[in-house]
Every structure is written in structure tokens, then in C-alpha cells.
Amino acid sequence: MSVEQVSPGKPVVTTLAAAATYYSVAPGVRLNVRSGPGTGHPIVKVLPEGARVAIHCQTPGTRVTGPYGTTTIWDNIASGQYISDAYVNTGSDGYIRPRCS
């Protein structure tokens, strides 16, 4: 938080945006990041073992089975970057973020 003086005796308080929540990718997994929500989309990069990700939104896609179950939920981690929720420890079998638009 910062306080700026804009006129004598009248401070303006500004705050930083809420910190993003990061979720762990399954241990020992190098996870493919795809350009869309499904295994038919091209791989755009690979997350290293021990990666943590912020999930911006979630959307349905190809059904995938991984360490955290079988799901059709795909997590958007950046513009044009999706990973299967079956590999992310969100603590839930359902949606935890808004649907991608």
C-alpha cells in the first residue's frame, strides 16, 4: 500500500491488486502446455518438474486422466496456454476459477 499527498492534509491511498494464487503441478511431471483446451492442440511449451501456476480461467476440453483424476477441465495459465486440470493440485474436482470467455 502507498500513500500519496495530492493536496495538503488529503492523502490518497492506493493498493496493489490481490496476489495471485499459485497451484502445484503434480510431482515429477514435466507438463505439456497447449495452445487450446485439448490434446489435439499444439504444444507451445513444457513446464518443468516442480512448476507452480496461476490459473486465470478454466474451460471444458478433451477428457484427460492424470494424478489428480479424470477431468475435462482445462486451466488457462496465460494467453493461448492451457494445461489439463488432471495434473494440477487445486484441491477440487470442479471449477475453482471463472469460465474462460
Side-chain angles (χ1 to χ4, degrees), residues 22-43:
Y22 285 82
Y23 300 92
S24 298
V25 171
V29 172
R30 294 180 68 235
L31 186 59
N32 292 334
V33 179
R34 297 187 177 268
S35 63
T39 55
H41 291 273
I43 296 169

Side-chain angles (χ1 to χ4, degrees), residues 40-61:
H41 291 273
I43 296 169
V44 295
K45 71 179 187 179
V46 178
L47 296 178
E49 290 183 28
R52 294 176 54 81
V53 295
I55 300 171
H56 302 292
C57 61
Q58 295 176 299
T59 192

